Every structure is written in structure tokens, then in C-alpha cells.
Amino acid sequence: MTTHDAARAALRATGTGWVKAHRSAGQNGCVEINLRVSGHAGIRDSKLGDASPVIVLTRTGMDALLGAIADGHFDGPAS
């Protein structure tokens, strides 16, 4: 079992620690993150909850993803 597999199993086993962005209050099309497994971050679909597949990133990978999002690397073309 790889480190990512072990982290995924630990994240799936815990029903706690999943958080949704405050800006998504009342909306159902969001992702949740969980930082409870040391050195890793889990991402899942909030609509599916515990049934959702879990994407696992290292904390460094999560920081890089959030930085790219903040820098607009995933913004679509201007309308």
C-alpha cells in the first residue's frame, strides 16, 4: 500500500474533519477538504459526502493547487 493509499483509507474512514468553504453556504455544488491526515489533504464532492471518491494530495501539492487557483490559472475565458 502506498502512502497515498494509506492516506486515502484514513480519510475515508473518518467521518469528521471535512469542511466546505464558507462562501458555499447553502449551495450544494462544492468540494470539501480534510487536513486531518499528517502530510496529506483530501478533496471530495460535498454532494456525495461519505460516498464520494477522495482525491489525495500531499500538503505541498495542495498548497500548489490553491496557489494556482488564487493566481487565476483555472479561470475560464472572459465573457
Side-chain angles (χ1 to χ4, degrees):
M1 180 179 291
T2 68
T3 304
H4 271 66
D5 290 336
R8 182 175 291 109
L11 287 162
R12 291 193 77 131
T14 182
T16 62
W18 292 99
V19 294
K20 203 165 42 164
H22 295 288
R23 287 186 170 191
S24 67
Q27 297 180 16
N28 208 14
C30 302
V31 296
E32 296 174 311
I33 64 167
N34 188 320
L35 302 175
R36 295 227 171 161
V37 174
S38 180
H40 292 84
I43 305 170
R44 72 180 187 182
D45 185 335
S46 66
K47 292 184 302 300
L48 300 176
D50 291 340
S52 177
V54 176
I55 298 170
V56 177
L57 300 173
T58 63
R59 288 284 181 94
T60 303
M62 184 66 162
D63 290 343
L65 175 62
L66 294 175
I69 291 168
D71 290 344
H73 290 285
F74 300 102
D75 293 350
S79 310

